[in-house]
């Protein structure tokens, strides 16, 4: 007998699933319970080098209220049906909107999209999961609130809730997003609704201004996790500064990364440069300006000689350091002097500001990201190889020049073994760097897809062997990364899971937790 | 009718009091009870598609008389690196308007 569903959850009979779907329809109405192949198509497409079948959902539920979600988890508990939550569902390169495991039901919260509050004086927002950065940006503009967003590069189509819950990053001084989160509302697996921090107290008006509340701080356990479904999310916004000065500093040699990092670290730690600086390799920037096929053809990774030609033709450094100063003009003038002195010392740096680089498309989009303006220009990365394959390799590094050089060399060497290019950048945190490499491959080419999978696997193995951990990973490799953090952490994660979700209905497999 | 300065000031105060009261979180759920809805195809195009398709990232798609049915299929399924968009992001009705907006010649709007 053929099933009427395109997939079923692991261990759930079709009869039980039917009953669950009937109940979901009662809760949400027929139109908000999607089960046909056509309806589920947008939940299946991923950029990962694994068969779509591995991540095909059995259904998608479009919930709009907390009460509906409470009822949904009750049904899930009854029939042991697992759900996979998405907020804006644009986790591109990390698994997109598809579930971790075949047959999971996607709980799509995109339609739960009210902006509940934006406080101009205290500079915070409280939003529902489906709010996009574009929606919030428009709201702030319309109400003339004078506040800036910090967002990831897919800005307009992604959102603060999903991004922060996956511990994503942006490019303003508020770029380490979870640092600026303040207060969540979470539907637990037993249907109870928890408001974290000060939100637990009835009538408190400090939920979005004081993060810690009383007792153990809980917000962290709901990020990169499967312990609850976040339905409201508070976070801080940056007051629009009176002046803003973006700049780029270019270097010509790969080894110069040592000098770059050693120069930036003290400026970043002391707050002279306040934002999440990006040190982008030429191959990360090239797709905005150049075509790969104009420089190389045939298999294999791009040779250094071609990279140097691209740099010359398109006015790129091998490293391009994007940063900005924020504040009053006087503050900026003082800090600019410090920055130019620091970078000017060795004579290797070429410093460009808006005056020289405003028309440069790479500079223009980076400047937008550093001031919280919408842009999707970074999607140019996908024109480099074509074919829509991408995985973010995201190891964490110390902000120490010798370390970044080691990580870059190792990554390049492993990518080259599989014929892939180093499209990498370092995002400078407070004391760390997120080393972000887009492992780009042609997903329409089976050989390259296989190579990309093996390459990514080897990157994880080799990096973890040297003590380099990954901050976030796509859904095909979550178990592998969880393993690299050792058995004790895994056991604690599992213990919490058992306590909070004994039937394992919430996103089993997220971060390797079941 | 022109308001006096005093009237303006008074109504400003009332507005301020309203804001203060509604800051208590018990009232938060009542505020902005309306979710987001797209106005028309042009808005969706400007706030999603144009960021790539008018920025040399994706191909030009307007004024090419691409069949509406084809556009809808690409939006729902994605195309190579182009992400798929779900009905929760762009509902079916809005997608029809968007496809019309893209496929028709500019002069026809
Ligand atoms: C070109 C390009 C550039 C990118 N640049 C960046 C970047 O600069 N920084 C960055 O961080 N990322 C980046 N990304 C990756 C990704 O697209 C963004 O992180 C994006 O914000 C994630 O999608 P989302 O916001 O729609 O979150 P979602 O897809 O909605 O959620 C992400 C994950 O969070 C969890 N989650 C979501 N909602 C809930 C909930 N309500 N309760 C509990 N858990 C939940 C789920 O595990 C889900 O898979 C980039 C991607 C591309 C293609």
């Amino acid at each position: 007998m053929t099933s009427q569903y395109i997939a079923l959850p692991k261990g759930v009979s079709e009869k039980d699933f039917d009953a669950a779907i009937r109940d979901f329809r009662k809760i949400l109405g027929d139109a908000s319970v999607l089960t046909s192949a056509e309806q589920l198509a947008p939940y299946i497409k991923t950029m990962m080098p694994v068969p779509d079948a591995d991540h095909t959902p059995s259904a998608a539920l479009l919930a709009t209220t907390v009460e509906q979600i409470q009822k949904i988890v009750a049904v899930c508990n009854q029939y042991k049906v697992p759900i996979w939550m998405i907020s804006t569902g644009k986790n591109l390169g990390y698994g997109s909107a598809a579930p971790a495991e075949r047959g999971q039901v996607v709980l799509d919260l995109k339609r739960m999209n009210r902006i509940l509050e934006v406080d101009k004086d205290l500079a915070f927002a409280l939003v529902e999961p489906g709010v996009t950065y574009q929606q919030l940006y428009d709201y702030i503009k319309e109400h003339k609130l004078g506040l800036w967003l910090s967002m990831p590069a897919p800005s307009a189509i992604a959102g603060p809730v999903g991004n922060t819950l996956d511990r994503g990053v942006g490019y303003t001084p508020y770029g380490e997003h979870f640092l600026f989160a303040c207060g969540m509302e979470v539907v637990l697996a037993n249907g109870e609704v928890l408001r974290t921090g000060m939100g637990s107290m009835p009538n408190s008006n400090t939920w979005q201004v004081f993060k810690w509340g009383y007792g153990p701080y809980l917000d962290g356990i709901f990020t990169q996790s499967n312990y609850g479904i976040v339905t409201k999310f508070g976070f801080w916004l940056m007051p629009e500064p009176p002046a803003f000065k973006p700049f780029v500093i270019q270097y010509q040699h790969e080894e110069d990364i040592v000098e770059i990092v050693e120069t930036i670290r003290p400026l970043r730690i002391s707050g002279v440069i306040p934002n999440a600086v990006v040190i982008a390799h030429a191959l990360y920037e090239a797709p905005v300006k150049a075509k790969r096929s104009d420089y190389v053809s045939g298999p294999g990774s791009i040779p250094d000689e071609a990279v140097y030609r691209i740099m010359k033709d398109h006015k790129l450094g091998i490293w391009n350091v994007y940063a900005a100063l924020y504040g009053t003009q006087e503050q900026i003038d003082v800090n600019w002097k410090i920055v130019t002195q620091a970078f000017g010392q060795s004579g290797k740096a070429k410093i460009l500001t808006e005056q020289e680089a405003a028309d440069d498309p790479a500079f223009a989009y980076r400047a937008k990201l550093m001031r919280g303006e919408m842009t999707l220009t970074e999607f140019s990365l996908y024109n480099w190889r074509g074919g829509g394959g991408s995985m973010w390799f995201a190891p964490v590094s110390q902000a120490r020049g010798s370390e970044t050089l080691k990580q870059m060399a190792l990554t390049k060497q492993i990518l080259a073994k599989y014929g892939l290019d180093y499209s990498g950048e370092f995002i400078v945190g407070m004391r760390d760097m997120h080393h972000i490499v887009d492992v780009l491959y042609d997903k329409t080419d089976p050989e390259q897809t296989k190579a990309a999978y093996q390459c990514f696997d080897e990157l994880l193995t080799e990096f973890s062997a040297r003590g380099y951990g990954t901050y976030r990973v796509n859904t095909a490799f979550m178990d592998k990364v969880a393993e690299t953090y050792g058995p004790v952490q895994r056991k604690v994660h599992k213990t919490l899971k058992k306590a909070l979700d004994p039937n394992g209905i919430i996103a089993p497999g997220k971060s390797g937790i079941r | 009718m022109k308001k006096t300065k005093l009237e303006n000031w008074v109504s400003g105060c009332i507005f301020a009091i309203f804001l203060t009261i509604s800051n208590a979180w018990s009232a938060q759920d009542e505020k902005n009870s309306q979710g987001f809805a797209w106005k028309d195809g042009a808005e969706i195009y400007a706030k999603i598609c144009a960021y790539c398709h008018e920025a040399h990232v994706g191909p030009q798609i307007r004024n090419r008389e691409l069949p509406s049915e084809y556009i809808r299929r690409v939006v729902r399924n994605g195309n190579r690196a182009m992400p798929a968009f779900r009905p929760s992001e762009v509902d079916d009705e809005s997608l029809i308007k968007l496809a019309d907006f893209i496929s028709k010649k500019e002069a026809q709007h």
Side-chain angles (χ1 to χ4, degrees), chain A residues 41-43 45 86 88-90 108 110-111 113-117 126 134-135 138 156 195 199 201 204 232 374 376 380 382-383 388, chain B residues 23 25-26 28-29 31-36 47-48 51-52 56-57 76-89 91:
Chain A
Y43 297 88
K45 180 178 169 43
I86 57 172
T88 36
K90 285 287 176 278
D108 182 348
K110 175 68 193 71
R111 283 197 182 154
N113 57 21
R114 293 177 307 164
I115 296 168
L116 296 167
E117 185 164 19
L126 179 69
Q134 175 80 58
Q135 191 189 339
D138 291 343
R195 287 186 174 188
M201 176 180 277
S204 153
K232 289 186 182 61
M374 300 300 120
L376 295 182
S380 305
Y382 303 125
N383 294 330
Chain B
N23 262 348
W25 74 252
S26 53
Q28 270 161 3
D29 291 351
K31 281 196 293 170
N32 297 320
S33 58
Q34 216 53 39
F36 175 82
K47 291 183 178 174
I48 299 181
Y51 288 119
C52 288
H56 308 290
V57 178
R76 287 287 183 250
N77 291 277
N79 185 11
R80 295 184 175 223
M82 178 183 145
F85 290 85
R86 313 181 305 282
S88 54
E89 295 170 278
D91 55 279

Side-chain angles (χ1 to χ4, degrees), chain B residues 38-88:
Chain B
W38 295 110
K39 282 197 231 21
D40 52 29
E43 187 190 28
I44 304 169
Y45 185 78
K47 291 183 178 174
I48 299 181
C49 321
Y51 288 119
C52 288
H53 293 283
E54 301 281 345
H56 308 290
V57 178
Q60 277 283 337
I61 49 173
R62 286 196 69 201
N63 292 316
R64 284 176 52 193
E65 294 180 66
L66 294 171
S68 172
E69 161 62 26
Y70 169 76
I71 294 167
R72 282 183 278 155
R73 207 171 51 237
V74 172
V75 169
R76 287 287 183 250
N77 291 277
N79 185 11
R80 295 184 175 223
M82 178 183 145
F85 290 85
R86 313 181 305 282
S88 54

Side-chain angles (χ1 to χ4, degrees), chain A residues 365-398:
Chain A
Y365 101 80
R366 293 287 185 178
K368 278 189 174 175
L369 287 177
M370 292 190 287
R371 63 179 294 165
E373 297 271 342
M374 300 300 120
T375 161
L376 295 182
T377 301
E378 197 163 300
F379 280 68
S380 305
L381 278 167
Y382 303 125
N383 294 330
W384 191 244
R385 280 280 181 176
S390 160
M391 288 173 286
W392 296 104
F393 175 55
V396 175
S397 146
Q398 283 190 345

Side-chain angles (χ1 to χ4, degrees), chain A residues 210-290:
Chain A
F210 183 62
K211 287 154 78 92
W212 319 122
Y214 180 73
Y217 173 71
L218 294 176
D219 296 48
I221 67 163
F222 298 108
T223 64
Q224 290 195 356
S225 96
N226 50 16
Y227 299 150
I229 301 158
V230 175
T231 48
K232 289 186 182 61
F233 175 75
F235 59 106
W236 296 342
L237 299 166
M238 177 179 160
E240 181 177 343
F244 165 70
K245 187 183 180 78
F247 55 95
V248 56
I249 306 174
Q250 298 184 334
Y251 281 80
Q252 297 306 312
H253 303 285
E254 275 180 346
E255 316 77 72
D256 292 341
I257 185 93
V258 177
E259 173 181 320
I260 296 171
V261 175
E262 292 303 309
T263 311
I264 284 178
R265 187 185 51 245
L267 299 175
R268 181 81 173 103
I269 291 181
S270 65
V272 171
I273 296 181
N275 73 318
V277 177
V278 174
I279 308 169
H281 190 271
L283 286 179
Y284 202 100
E285 299 307 273
V288 179
K289 306 173 167 197

Side-chain angles (χ1 to χ4, degrees), chain A residues 15-285:
Chain A
K15 188 163 153 273
D16 278 356
F17 193 63
D18 253 344
I21 290 289
R22 259 198 311 275
D23 287 352
F24 292 145
R25 291 193 194 281
K26 272 189 225 147
I27 299 165
L28 300 170
D30 286 351
S32 297
V33 178
L34 316 180
T35 55
S36 74
E38 194 190 339
Q39 288 174 319
L40 293 174
Y43 297 88
I44 293 172
K45 180 178 169 43
T46 79
M47 308 182 95
M48 301 183 294
V50 293
D52 287 346
D54 292 0
H55 298 273
T56 296
S58 52
L61 309 178
L62 313 187
T64 52
T65 69
V66 172
E67 294 71 27
Q68 287 174 350
I69 295 171
Q70 289 175 285
K71 288 180 188 160
I72 288 169
V73 292
V75 174
C76 291
N77 275 309
Q78 185 179 349
Y79 297 104
K80 311 281 185 293
V81 169
I83 43 172
W84 176 262
M85 304 78 72
I86 57 172
S87 288
T88 36
K90 285 287 176 278
N91 216 3
L92 308 167
Y94 288 117
S96 305
E101 292 173 5
R102 180 179 172 80
Q104 292 177 340
V105 172
V106 177
L107 177 60
D108 182 348
L109 303 176
K110 175 68 193 71
R111 283 197 182 154
M112 204 169 172
N113 57 21
R114 293 177 307 164
I115 296 168
L116 296 167
E117 185 164 19
V118 182
D119 190 300
K120 183 176 164 59
D121 304 328
L122 292 165
F124 69 72
L126 179 69
V127 301
E128 290 187 328
V131 170
T132 59
Y133 287 109
Q134 175 80 58
Q135 191 189 339
L136 195 53
Y137 178 86
D138 291 343
Y139 181 94
I140 289 169
K141 275 263 160 350
E142 188 193 333
H143 294 86
K144 299 190 173 57
L145 298 174
L147 298 167
W148 277 13
L149 298 174
S150 174
M151 354 93 355
S155 61
I157 55 175
V161 182
N163 181 270
T164 312
L165 291 178
D166 228 19
R167 295 209 291 266
V169 296
Y171 303 93
T172 74
Y174 286 33
E176 180 63 276
H177 293 157
F178 185 51
L179 270 185
F180 297 90
C182 195
M184 295 175 184
E185 178 185 86
V186 189
V187 176
L188 302 172
N190 65 6
E192 277 182 335
V193 178
L194 166 73
R195 287 186 174 188
T196 62
M198 305 307 283
S200 280
M201 176 180 277
N203 295 320
S204 153
N205 65 3
T206 49
W207 190 19
Q208 269 63 65
V209 296
F210 183 62
K211 287 154 78 92
W212 319 122
Y214 180 73
Y217 173 71
L218 294 176
D219 296 48
I221 67 163
F222 298 108
T223 64
Q224 290 195 356
S225 96
N226 50 16
Y227 299 150
I229 301 158
V230 175
T231 48
K232 289 186 182 61
F233 175 75
F235 59 106
W236 296 342
L237 299 166
M238 177 179 160
E240 181 177 343
F244 165 70
K245 187 183 180 78
F247 55 95
V248 56
I249 306 174
Q250 298 184 334
Y251 281 80
Q252 297 306 312
H253 303 285
E254 275 180 346
E255 316 77 72
D256 292 341
I257 185 93
V258 177
E259 173 181 320
I260 296 171
V261 175
E262 292 303 309
T263 311
I264 284 178
R265 187 185 51 245
L267 299 175
R268 181 81 173 103
I269 291 181
S270 65
V272 171
I273 296 181
N275 73 318
V277 177
V278 174
I279 308 169
H281 190 271
L283 286 179
Y284 202 100
E285 299 307 273

